[in-house]
Amino acid sequence: MSFVRGGGGMMLLPDMAECAMTAFIMAVVVMGACMFMRRRMPWGPAVVQVLLLLLLVPGMAGVLWLPHWGGAAGNVALWPVLQGVFVCPLVTVLPLRALMRVPASVSRTAWGLGAGPWMRARLLWLPLLGPSLVLSACAGLGMGVLAAMVDMGATLGT
């Protein structure tokens, strides 16, 4: 585990940051793939959402039980990254649902009216996906803190 033992105690920030960043990077990759998939296969994002929903509960269980499955090897450096992989469905489901609610013609219409990529991102996609992105970020950070606390508790007991 990569927490820092300092003068006052232990800090959870490195584990939490690794877990949350891994989840957010994977969420960005999945969301980008779904945005490109929307043009070629309109049913693609729906299939991805169903798969993410099926992985949601086992993923949360994996976050909480990963340190206990390791037994005596309680300080594996890759655990926060693995926990981030398990948190990815939680972080991705809400923005993906918001993305699926937006008709594909909205972006084409904005492009047809002369909006460039930056203007579409700033004035179209960010307001449409903003609330779900904020809620997703709060859920991801919360699970990152919980995962770091579980890691710390598992290593304190050994």
Side-chain angles (χ1 to χ4, degrees), residues 30-88:
V30 169
M31 291 287 295
C34 285
M35 287 184 80
F36 286 119
M37 199 183 318
R38 246 179 114 169
R39 291 183 182 164
R40 306 256 186 248
M41 299 176 287
W43 48 267
V47 170
V48 171
Q49 184 181 16
V50 168
L51 291 174
L52 288 172
L53 286 172
L54 289 174
L55 293 173
L56 188 63
V57 172
M60 295 304 100
V63 167
L64 299 176
W65 285 100
L66 186 64
H68 301 291
W69 288 334
N75 55 357
V76 176
L78 287 179
W79 280 2
V81 175
L82 289 173
Q83 287 172 329
V85 170
F86 287 143
V87 171
C88 179

XYZ file of all heavy atoms in Angstrom, residues 30-88:
446
model
N -14.111 4.695 -21.676
C -15.391 4.044 -21.991
C -16.361 5.050 -22.605
O -17.038 4.753 -23.599
C -15.993 3.387 -20.731
C -17.420 2.942 -20.967
C -15.134 2.221 -20.289
N -16.436 6.258 -22.033
C -17.342 7.279 -22.571
C -16.928 7.689 -23.981
O -17.779 7.868 -24.855
C -17.357 8.509 -21.656
C -18.016 8.280 -20.325
S -19.778 8.155 -20.451
C -20.191 9.773 -20.993
N -15.637 7.857 -24.218
C -15.165 8.200 -25.560
C -15.496 7.113 -26.564
O -15.935 7.397 -27.691
N -15.301 5.869 -26.171
C -15.637 4.755 -27.058
C -17.128 4.735 -27.352
O -17.535 4.475 -28.503
C -15.194 3.438 -26.428
N -17.935 5.023 -26.352
C -19.384 5.032 -26.573
C -19.811 6.191 -27.474
O -20.734 6.047 -28.278
C -20.119 5.102 -25.238
S -20.098 3.539 -24.362
N -19.146 7.330 -27.366
C -19.482 8.456 -28.238
C -19.148 8.136 -29.691
O -19.904 8.478 -30.596
C -18.766 9.718 -27.774
C -19.357 10.295 -26.505
S -18.604 11.827 -26.016
C -19.449 12.961 -27.095
N -18.007 7.478 -29.925
C -17.673 7.086 -31.286
C -18.559 5.945 -31.770
O -18.892 5.861 -32.942
C -16.202 6.685 -31.380
C -15.270 7.849 -31.332
C -14.345 7.958 -30.326
C -15.330 8.852 -32.288
C -13.485 9.042 -30.269
C -14.480 9.939 -32.241
C -13.558 10.038 -31.235
N -18.934 5.073 -30.858
C -19.756 3.917 -31.193
C -21.182 4.346 -31.580
O -21.852 3.653 -32.337
C -19.816 2.982 -29.980
C -20.225 1.581 -30.279
S -20.372 0.548 -28.822
C -18.993 0.962 -27.809
N -21.617 5.465 -31.059
C -22.975 5.941 -31.296
C -23.282 6.129 -32.766
O -24.405 5.914 -33.209
C -23.150 7.290 -30.605
C -24.120 7.290 -29.488
C -24.156 8.643 -28.905
N -25.479 9.197 -29.173
C -25.926 10.278 -28.639
N -25.165 10.983 -27.855
N -27.127 10.702 -28.887
N -22.289 6.558 -33.534
C -22.511 6.799 -34.956
C -22.650 5.506 -35.744
O -23.469 5.399 -36.629
C -21.362 7.620 -35.521
C -21.339 9.010 -35.005
C -20.241 9.779 -35.649
N -20.205 11.132 -35.105
C -19.205 11.937 -35.240
N -18.139 11.552 -35.896
N -19.249 13.141 -34.722
N -21.807 4.553 -35.435
C -21.782 3.304 -36.198
C -22.812 2.289 -35.704
O -23.445 1.622 -36.501
C -20.397 2.678 -36.119
C -19.294 3.585 -36.539
C -18.820 3.214 -37.911
N -17.653 4.008 -38.267
C -17.666 4.925 -39.204
N -18.767 5.158 -39.860
N -16.589 5.600 -39.487
N -22.909 2.173 -34.395
C -23.827 1.196 -33.793
C -24.677 1.907 -32.748
O -24.231 2.101 -31.621
C -23.036 0.074 -33.118
C -22.148 -0.705 -34.039
S -21.185 -1.925 -33.156
C -19.979 -0.904 -32.324
N -25.885 2.319 -33.076
C -26.712 3.050 -32.109
C -27.029 2.242 -30.858
O -27.279 2.808 -29.805
C -27.990 3.363 -32.885
C -27.696 3.097 -34.308
C -26.514 2.210 -34.373
N -26.988 0.927 -30.941
C -27.284 0.075 -29.797
C -26.049 -0.145 -28.925
O -26.150 -0.679 -27.830
C -27.835 -1.265 -30.261
C -27.015 -1.872 -31.364
C -27.224 -1.721 -32.692
C -25.849 -2.677 -31.230
N -26.259 -2.392 -33.408
C -25.402 -2.992 -32.523
C -25.128 -3.171 -30.152
C -24.282 -3.766 -32.766
C -24.007 -3.947 -30.396
C -23.598 -4.240 -31.685
N -24.860 0.274 -29.355
C -23.609 0.036 -28.627
C -23.581 0.605 -27.216
O -23.270 -0.118 -26.258
N -23.900 1.901 -27.024
C -23.892 2.435 -25.662
C -24.868 1.738 -24.725
O -24.601 1.596 -23.533
C -24.255 3.906 -25.852
C -23.810 4.220 -27.233
C -24.045 2.970 -28.017
N -25.998 1.279 -25.251
C -26.965 0.567 -24.403
C -26.379 -0.763 -23.927
O -26.558 -1.149 -22.767
C -28.266 0.335 -25.160
N -25.674 -1.449 -24.809
C -25.029 -2.706 -24.422
C -23.955 -2.448 -23.375
O -23.847 -3.177 -22.380
C -24.439 -3.417 -25.667
C -23.574 -4.590 -25.272
C -25.551 -3.853 -26.592
N -23.165 -1.388 -23.572
C -22.124 -1.046 -22.597
C -22.749 -0.704 -21.253
O -22.248 -1.112 -20.202
C -21.250 0.122 -23.124
C -20.311 0.636 -22.059
C -20.468 -0.314 -24.354
N -23.874 0.019 -21.260
C -24.526 0.371 -20.003
C -25.034 -0.867 -19.276
O -24.891 -0.971 -18.054
C -25.669 1.341 -20.249
C -26.298 1.803 -18.955
C -27.447 2.757 -19.175
O -27.980 2.861 -20.276
N -27.833 3.439 -18.131
N -25.597 -1.814 -19.996
C -26.068 -3.052 -19.367
C -24.889 -3.815 -18.757
O -24.971 -4.311 -17.624
C -26.841 -3.922 -20.383
C -27.084 -5.314 -19.849
C -28.157 -3.248 -20.741
N -23.774 -3.896 -19.478
C -22.588 -4.572 -18.942
C -22.062 -3.876 -17.689
O -21.677 -4.530 -16.717
C -21.493 -4.649 -20.006
C -21.768 -5.582 -21.182
C -20.675 -5.458 -22.232
C -21.904 -7.011 -20.707
N -22.052 -2.538 -17.711
C -21.591 -1.800 -16.529
C -22.522 -2.019 -15.342
O -22.065 -2.143 -14.202
C -21.468 -0.315 -16.848
C -20.308 0.074 -17.760
C -20.415 1.533 -18.153
C -18.980 -0.203 -17.101
N -23.825 -2.055 -15.596
C -24.767 -2.301 -14.501
C -24.600 -3.706 -13.930
O -24.742 -3.913 -12.724
C -26.202 -2.079 -14.973
C -26.605 -0.620 -15.168
C -27.969 -0.523 -15.822
C -26.570 0.138 -13.865
N -24.291 -4.675 -14.791
C -24.052 -6.037 -14.308
C -22.762 -6.130 -13.490
O -22.662 -6.963 -12.586
C -23.988 -7.013 -15.482
C -25.309 -7.293 -16.194
C -25.070 -8.165 -17.414
C -26.298 -7.940 -15.251
N -21.791 -5.274 -13.788
C -20.519 -5.287 -13.055
C -20.511 -4.382 -11.832
O -19.552 -4.393 -11.067
C -19.377 -4.870 -13.988
C -19.053 -5.825 -15.123
C -18.023 -5.202 -16.049
C -18.549 -7.141 -14.571
N -21.569 -3.601 -11.639
C -21.583 -2.610 -10.564
C -21.491 -3.239 -9.180
O -20.614 -2.885 -8.384
C -22.837 -1.747 -10.680
C -22.927 -0.546 -9.759
C -21.808 0.433 -10.083
C -24.256 0.138 -9.927
N -22.353 -4.176 -8.860
C -22.359 -4.784 -7.520
C -21.106 -5.640 -7.286
O -20.454 -5.499 -6.245
C -23.660 -5.584 -7.288
C -23.594 -6.367 -6.000
C -24.843 -4.635 -7.273
N -20.712 -6.517 -8.242
C -19.468 -7.255 -8.006
C -18.245 -6.336 -7.913
O -17.302 -6.628 -7.174
C -19.343 -8.175 -9.222
C -20.700 -8.285 -9.774
C -21.394 -7.007 -9.439
N -18.281 -5.220 -8.635
C -17.168 -4.275 -8.561
C -17.042 -3.639 -7.186
O -15.945 -3.517 -6.634
N -18.163 -3.244 -6.603
C -18.124 -2.645 -5.268
C -17.683 -3.678 -4.233
O -16.968 -3.370 -3.294
C -19.484 -2.059 -4.897
C -19.921 -0.892 -5.755
S -18.758 0.472 -5.791
C -17.927 0.226 -7.331
N -18.125 -4.924 -4.416
C -17.669 -5.986 -3.511
C -16.174 -6.203 -3.669
O -15.457 -6.426 -2.681
C -18.431 -7.279 -3.797
N -15.683 -6.116 -4.895
C -14.247 -6.269 -5.128
C -13.439 -5.168 -4.472
O -12.342 -5.412 -3.944
N -13.953 -3.946 -4.488
C -13.254 -2.828 -3.835
C -13.102 -3.089 -2.345
O -12.039 -2.874 -1.758
C -14.018 -1.500 -4.067
C -13.514 -0.404 -3.160
C -13.893 -1.066 -5.505
N -14.165 -3.569 -1.742
C -14.150 -3.742 -0.287
C -13.452 -5.020 0.165
O -12.906 -5.060 1.267
C -15.584 -3.703 0.246
C -16.328 -2.393 -0.023
C -17.758 -2.500 0.455
C -15.614 -1.230 0.610
N -13.443 -6.066 -0.654
C -12.873 -7.338 -0.225
C -11.478 -7.604 -0.758
O -10.840 -8.576 -0.345
C -13.802 -8.485 -0.611
C -14.975 -8.536 0.291
C -16.217 -8.064 0.043
C -15.007 -9.050 1.614
N -17.034 -8.257 1.122
C -16.307 -8.868 2.113
C -14.060 -9.651 2.440
C -16.690 -9.267 3.381
C -14.449 -10.046 3.697
C -15.742 -9.850 4.162
N -10.974 -6.784 -1.665
C -9.648 -7.014 -2.237
C -8.542 -7.090 -1.187
O -7.719 -8.008 -1.234
C -9.322 -5.948 -3.286
C -8.030 -6.144 -4.061
C -8.115 -7.419 -4.881
C -7.769 -4.967 -4.960
N -8.487 -6.205 -0.204
C -7.427 -6.328 0.806
C -7.542 -7.603 1.637
O -6.537 -8.152 2.079
C -7.612 -5.097 1.690
C -8.361 -4.138 0.860
C -9.229 -4.957 -0.036
N -8.752 -8.100 1.844
C -8.931 -9.308 2.648
C -8.601 -10.568 1.867
O -8.241 -11.574 2.442
C -10.361 -9.374 3.182
C -10.702 -8.181 4.024
N -10.135 -7.953 5.262
C -11.523 -7.128 3.787
C -10.604 -6.818 5.751
N -11.444 -6.302 4.876
N -8.748 -10.518 0.539
C -8.386 -11.660 -0.289
C -6.876 -11.850 -0.336
O -6.397 -12.950 -0.526
C -8.889 -11.488 -1.710
C -10.364 -11.641 -1.853
C -11.203 -12.361 -1.055
C -11.180 -11.047 -2.849
N -12.491 -12.254 -1.485
C -12.510 -11.451 -2.599
C -10.934 -10.220 -3.924
C -13.566 -11.052 -3.385
C -11.986 -9.837 -4.710
C -13.290 -10.242 -4.446
N -6.132 -10.759 -0.164
C -4.676 -10.824 -0.255
C -4.017 -11.477 0.942
O -2.896 -11.944 0.856
N -4.685 -11.506 2.065
C -4.128 -12.136 3.266
C -2.927 -11.387 3.793
O -2.975 -10.199 4.057
N -1.814 -12.068 3.927
C -0.625 -11.484 4.540
C 0.070 -10.493 3.617
O 0.825 -9.652 4.077
C 0.354 -12.589 4.932
N -0.148 -10.599 2.328
C 0.482 -9.656 1.394
C -0.348 -8.382 1.341
O -0.886 -8.011 0.311
C 0.589 -10.288 0.015
N -0.451 -7.701 2.445
C -1.365 -6.572 2.592
C -0.906 -5.280 1.980
O -1.644 -4.329 1.957
N 0.308 -5.188 1.497
C 0.753 -3.910 0.949
C 1.174 -4.036 -0.511
O 2.241 -3.625 -0.885
C 1.874 -3.320 1.797
C 3.029 -4.270 1.957
O 2.983 -5.399 1.480
N 4.064 -3.816 2.624
N 0.326 -4.590 -1.325
C 0.583 -4.682 -2.750
C 0.357 -3.305 -3.361
O -0.674 -2.684 -3.148
C -0.341 -5.730 -3.403
C -0.148 -5.776 -4.902
C -0.098 -7.090 -2.786
N 1.316 -2.828 -4.131
C 1.248 -1.466 -4.663
C 0.182 -1.302 -5.741
O -0.281 -0.198 -5.975
C 2.613 -1.057 -5.218
N -0.233 -2.360 -6.389
C -1.219 -2.248 -7.461
C -2.665 -2.309 -6.980
O -3.580 -2.161 -7.782
C -0.994 -3.346 -8.502
C 0.215 -3.166 -9.397
C 0.330 -4.338 -10.358
C 0.133 -1.868 -10.166
N -2.902 -2.520 -5.706
C -4.272 -2.617 -5.218
C -5.094 -1.366 -5.461
O -6.247 -1.479 -5.844
C -4.301 -3.016 -3.758
C -4.109 -4.484 -3.602
C -3.892 -5.400 -4.596
C -4.121 -5.202 -2.404
N -3.758 -6.640 -4.066
C -3.889 -6.554 -2.715
C -4.286 -4.852 -1.086
C -3.841 -7.545 -1.764
C -4.240 -5.832 -0.129
C -4.017 -7.163 -0.468
N -4.558 -0.173 -5.246
C -5.387 1.000 -5.562
C -5.779 1.066 -7.037
O -6.878 1.491 -7.376
C -4.497 2.178 -5.175
C -3.591 1.632 -4.138
C -3.338 0.215 -4.533
N -4.892 0.615 -7.920
C -5.224 0.610 -9.344
C -6.319 -0.427 -9.619
O -7.269 -0.163 -10.350
C -3.961 0.337 -10.188
C -4.307 0.210 -11.660
C -2.933 1.440 -9.971
N -6.192 -1.615 -9.028
C -7.228 -2.637 -9.199
C -8.554 -2.172 -8.615
O -9.623 -2.424 -9.183
C -6.799 -3.944 -8.541
C -5.663 -4.693 -9.240
C -5.218 -5.877 -8.393
C -6.084 -5.144 -10.609
N -8.493 -1.493 -7.490
C -9.722 -0.971 -6.904
C -10.333 0.099 -7.802
O -11.550 0.205 -7.910
C -9.459 -0.427 -5.507
C -9.231 -1.529 -4.502
C -8.787 -1.004 -3.153
O -8.121 0.021 -3.059
N -9.143 -1.728 -2.106
N -9.497 0.886 -8.469
C -10.006 1.859 -9.435
C -10.706 1.192 -10.601
O -11.717 1.692 -11.105
N -10.185 0.038 -11.037
C -10.848 -0.727 -12.096
C -12.220 -1.198 -11.612
O -13.197 -1.170 -12.359
C -9.962 -1.918 -12.532
C -10.711 -2.866 -13.446
C -8.699 -1.415 -13.200
N -12.305 -1.610 -10.355
C -13.582 -2.054 -9.804
C -14.568 -0.903 -9.629
O -15.772 -1.093 -9.695
C -13.384 -2.752 -8.461
C -12.768 -4.117 -8.555
C -11.865 -4.543 -7.605
C -13.076 -4.976 -9.584
C -11.291 -5.794 -7.676
C -12.518 -6.234 -9.674
C -11.623 -6.642 -8.718
N -14.074 0.313 -9.393
C -14.933 1.486 -9.198
C -15.410 2.051 -10.542
O -16.415 2.762 -10.593
C -14.189 2.562 -8.369
C -14.950 3.867 -8.322
C -13.945 2.073 -6.959
N -14.744 1.704 -11.615
C -15.071 2.261 -12.938
C -16.550 2.142 -13.312
O -17.118 3.108 -13.823
C -14.189 1.630 -14.002
S -14.537 2.237 -15.650
